[in-house]
Amino acid sequence: MRSALLAEYRKLVTTRIWWVLLIAMAGYLVFIAAAIAASFAFAPADGGSVPVGEEAARTTYSVINSIGYVFPLVIGSLAMTTEFRHKTITQSLLVEPDRTRFLVAKVLSVVPVGLLAGVVGVLAVLLGGAPLLALQGDGAYLADRDVVMSLLLGVVAIALWAMIGVGFGTLVPNQVAAIVVILAFTQFVEPVARLALSQVDALSDLANFLPGGAADALLGASLFAADGGDLLPRWAAALVLIGYAIGFAALGRLTTLRRDIG
Amino acid sequence: MTPPSLVVDGLTKQFGPLRAVDDLSFQVRPGAVTGFLGPNGAGKTTTLRMLLGLTRPTAGRTLVGDRPYVDHPSPGRVVGAALEASSFHPGRTGLGHLEVFAPQVGVSRARCRAVLEAVGLDHAARQRVGGYSMGMRQRLGLATALLADPPVIVLDEPTNGLDPEGIKWIRGLLRQFAAEGRTVLVSSHLLREVEASVDDVVIIAQGRLRHASSLTALREQASPATYVVAPDAAALADLARSHGWRTVPERDGLVVDGATAPEIGAAAYRSGLELHELTRRDVDIEELFFRLTRATPVPPPAASPPPATPPSPGPAPLKGDDR
C-alpha cells in the first residue's frame, strides 16, 4: 500500500494541472469573497436578511466551499480520468493488479494536494473578504473561535472534495464528460436545486444532503442558507461527504474498474 | 532460479459476436526470444492483455511460471511489459514517468536514470513526453519494461515507429535478453521485422493458433524458390509447366516456386535447355507466413512434409497442432 500511495502521489505532482488549477482557484476566490464582503459591508443598515457581524464574516469565508469546491473536484477527477485518457491505466494496473488497492491509493493520494488547495482557498477568501469586512463592515472576526473553526473545516472540506472527485472520475472515466458534469452540477444544477428546495418546506431538508449543502454544514455557514439554522450538524455533514466519496468510488470500482482494460 | 515460462492454455475471449481469441494454447520458454505473430486484428494484443491480467478471459487461463500474473506478489518485478507505445501522460517528463512506476516495482530514482540511459534517452530525461517522437516513446516504453530488470519481458510491436537503426538496436537487445536467459515474448504483425531476432514463432490468425515451432522448423516448411534465366523463355516456361512448378516472371527470367536450383538445373540439362542464370533465392518465409495467416489456412506445400510433432526446442502447443 505504501508503494501504491507513493506512486499515486508522484503521478499527481509530476503533472502541472493541479497547480494551474490552484492558481485559478485562488484568483477566483479572492474575487468572489471580495464581492460578497462588499455586498455585506455596503448593505444599508436596515438591509433585512443580510447577515451581520460574525455571521457575515463566516458566510463570506464560506465561499471557499460553496464556490471553490469545483476546483478540488476537478483536480480529483483528473487524477483518475487522465489515466484513461492517456491510457496510463494499463501500466498502472500492470504494476498494481489489485484494482481496489489502486483505487484506494488514488483516493488517499489527493489528500495532500487537497489540503494544500484548502489552505490556498482559505488564504484567498481572507485576502478577498477580510479587508472589506474590517474596514467597511462589522469586522473580519479573524480571532473568533467559530470563524477560525469554520476556516479550518473549510480546509478539510476542500480535501474531501478532492477525494470525492477521484470517486466521481472513477465512475465517469471519460475526462471531458466528467468535467462537463462537474461544471454543470456545481455551477448550475446544485445551486438551483438548493434554492428551489429551500423554498419548499417539505423538501428543504433534502437540500442538506446534496453534497454542496453538506459541505456548507461542515463549515457551519452557507450563502444559500444565510438565515441559518437548517443546516445539518457537523458530524452528520462530514458523514454525508465521506459517504459521497465512498459511494462514488465503490460504484466506480464495480463498473469502470471491473471492466477489461484496453 | 530459472526465469519463468509463459503458458497460454485454452484461452478464449469473446467480444460480443466476435471471438477475438479462440481456444489458443502455446508456451514460451526461457532463454529464447519467441515471436508472437499474426496480422493486425489476429488477437495478439488481446492475448497479451489476458496474459497480464488486464482483460479477463472468457475461458482458459494464462500462467507466468506457476501462477497467473495477478497472483504474483509484485508482478511488475517478474514481467516487464510494454504494450502501447503511446500510453504516457504527455505532461510528464520521461524521467518523471519512470519515477511514477518505480515504487511499485521496488526500484530507486537512480535506477530510473540508469534505465533511461540504457535505452538512449538520457538527453531527454527532463523533456516532456508530449514532445517525444514515436521512436523515443518506444524507447521509453522499453525503459518502463526494464525498470525492475525482470526475468520475463513482453513487448507488443516494439519496432513500430522505429527507424532502421532503432530496429537494429531492438534486435540486439532481444538477443541479449535471451542470452541472459530471460523469457522474451515479442509480438509483431510482420515476420520480417523479427525474423532476425527470434528463436521460436507462434503464429495466430483470427484468434486461432496457426503454427508454433522454432524458426528453423518454420523455415523448413517454406518452399524453396529459384531464379532462372534462359535465352529461350518459352522453352523455360514449358519446362516449368511440365514439372508443375509455379512461376512468377521477374526481369529477364522466372522465379520458380517449389523447386531447388539443382532440380531445375538437372531438368534443364535433361531437356537440353540453355540456362544463363540459376540462383537460389532465400526461402520466402514471408510468403509462408502469409499463407499460414490467410483467412482460410491452406496446408503447407506437399514438397516439404509437415512435421508430425513440433520439433523441439520449439514451443509445444498444449492442444492441437498447426492448423
Side-chain angles (χ1 to χ4, degrees):
Chain A
M1 193 67 203
R2 257 181 71 96
S3 58
L5 270 172
L6 182 56
E8 292 304 328
Y9 177 73
R10 284 187 186 173
K11 276 179 201 170
L12 200 58
V13 298
T14 48
T15 57
R16 289 168 290 180
I17 189 71
W18 63 274
W19 58 258
V20 172
L21 282 169
L22 285 195
I23 291 172
M25 179 185 186
Y28 190 45
L29 284 180
V30 167
F31 170 74
I32 296 288
I36 301 286
S39 76
F40 295 160
F42 297 115
D46 58 344
S49 69
V50 171
V52 293
E54 184 232 325
E55 197 192 341
R58 272 200 293 150
T59 305
T60 300
Y61 303 148
S62 77
V63 297
I64 181 181
N65 177 61
S66 52
I67 303 293
Y69 72 146
V70 62
F71 293 97
L73 264 179
V74 168
I75 290 175
S77 72
L78 286 176
M80 185 58 89
T81 57
T82 41
E83 293 258 14
F84 287 89
R85 178 164 173 212
H86 299 300
K87 296 182 184 166
T88 49
I89 185 74
T90 294
Q91 186 61 35
S92 297
L93 293 182
L94 282 179
V95 295
E96 182 51 85
D98 183 337
R99 297 182 183 187
T100 302
R101 189 184 296 167
F102 163 72
L103 175 58
V104 170
K106 200 177 272 296
V107 169
L108 295 178
S109 73
V110 298
V111 170
V113 169
L115 290 173
L116 177 62
V119 171
V120 167
V122 163
L123 294 177
V125 294
L126 291 179
L127 189 64
L132 273 171
L133 289 171
L135 297 175
Q136 286 290 330
D138 307 320
Y141 287 91
L142 291 181
D144 184 276
R145 270 180 65 101
D146 285 350
V147 170
V148 171
M149 178 60 105
S150 181
L151 288 173
L152 288 177
L153 286 169
V155 175
V156 173
I158 292 298
L160 279 169
W161 281 120
M163 296 165 81
I164 293 172
V166 176
F168 185 74
T170 313
L171 186 59
V172 184
N174 180 310
Q175 186 162 74
V176 174
I179 290 177
V180 166
V181 171
I182 286 174
L183 289 180
F185 184 82
T186 60
Q187 305 304 299
F188 180 72
V189 176
E190 191 178 31
V192 169
R194 285 178 70 187
L195 276 178
L197 290 172
S198 69
Q199 302 308 311
V200 185
D201 280 351
L203 296 176
S204 61
D205 283 350
L206 199 61
N208 292 332
F209 289 92
L210 289 174
D216 277 350
L218 183 63
L219 273 66
S222 171
L223 266 185
F224 295 94
D227 45 346
D230 34 293
L231 291 168
L232 289 176
R234 277 190 167 139
W235 62 267
L239 284 182
V240 169
L241 284 180
I242 292 168
Y244 275 107
I246 293 176
F248 281 134
L251 283 176
R253 175 67 187 87
L254 293 175
T255 53
T256 305
L257 286 180
R258 228 182 59 182
R259 292 188 198 121
D260 291 341
I261 300 297
Chain B
M1 206 186 91
T2 329
S5 305
L6 305 177
V7 177
V8 171
D9 182 11
L11 200 62
T12 298
K13 181 67 186 183
Q14 189 86 30
F15 289 120
L18 175 74
R19 186 155 282 222
V21 176
D22 189 1
D23 194 22
L24 182 62
S25 299
F26 64 89
Q27 288 192 32
V28 181
R29 65 188 168 105
V33 179
T34 300
F36 187 37
L37 307 167
N40 286 326
K44 300 185 298 292
T45 301
T46 305
T47 301
L48 295 182
R49 287 184 167 271
M50 286 192 278
L51 176 70
L52 299 170
L54 295 166
T55 298
R56 196 175 313 172
T58 309
R61 58 175 192 153
T62 59
L63 297 176
V64 174
D66 59 348
R67 63 188 88 175
Y69 178 83
V70 298
D71 291 345
H72 285 268
S74 185
R77 293 185 61 81
V78 181
V79 181
L83 289 189
E84 280 165 287
S86 55
S87 53
F88 306 106
H89 191 297
R92 234 168 243 147
T93 64
L95 186 61
H97 170 80
L98 293 182
E99 286 177 352
V100 158
F101 296 105
Q104 284 154 308
V105 296
V107 302
S108 65
R109 291 191 141 140
R111 170 70 186 164
C112 295
R113 286 204 151 279
V115 175
L116 216 48
E117 202 168 317
V119 301
L121 279 180
D122 38 335
H123 65 285
R126 297 278 174 204
Q127 198 181 320
R128 292 185 204 288
V129 178
Y132 276 26
S133 68
M134 186 66 182
M136 291 165 80
R137 283 160 194 257
Q138 284 284 16
R139 285 169 191 261
L140 184 58
L142 193 66
T144 316
L146 296 179
L147 209 47
D149 196 16
V152 183
I153 293 168
V154 175
L155 306 175
D156 194 11
E157 304 271 359
T159 51
N160 266 5
L162 283 183
D163 52 15
E165 190 194 347
I167 291 174
K168 205 175 143 202
W169 169 74
I170 288 263
R171 278 182 192 150
L173 268 184
L174 293 175
R175 290 318 313 160
Q176 184 197 324
F177 295 151
E180 289 162 355
R182 300 186 214 235
T183 311
V184 187
L185 182 62
V186 185
S187 84
S188 178
H189 63 283
L190 290 172
L191 175 56
R192 215 180 284 293
E193 293 273 275
V194 294
E195 194 185 340
S197 46
V198 301
D199 304 288
D200 297 339
V201 288
V202 172
I203 299 175
I204 69 167
Q206 296 174 306
R208 301 177 74 95
L209 184 70
R210 291 287 170 81
H211 179 94
S213 76
S214 67
L215 182 65
T216 316
L218 178 70
R219 280 215 176 95
E220 281 164 8
Q221 283 199 22
S223 59
T226 310
Y227 181 63
V228 196
V229 179
D232 186 350
L236 175 61
D238 283 343
L239 181 75
R241 214 168 4 251
S242 69
H243 283 80
W245 296 326
R246 227 152 44 85
T247 58
V248 181
E250 190 181 299
R251 296 200 309 272
D252 305 334
L254 293 175
V255 175
V256 179
D257 237 357
T260 61
E263 282 171 332
I264 297 170
Y269 179 75
R270 278 199 302 275
S271 48
L273 182 66
E274 180 185 348
L275 296 185
H276 286 182
E277 195 174 334
L278 182 62
T279 317
R280 182 181 155 237
R281 275 291 164 86
D282 268 343
V283 165
D284 195 353
I285 197 167
E286 198 71 28
E287 164 67 21
L288 177 64
F289 174 62
F290 201 63
R291 209 151 43 207
L292 282 168
T293 57
R294 254 205 297 251
T296 334
V298 289
S304 59
T309 50
S312 87
L318 290 181
K319 273 187 209 158
D321 201 350
D322 307 346
R323 292 161 205 215

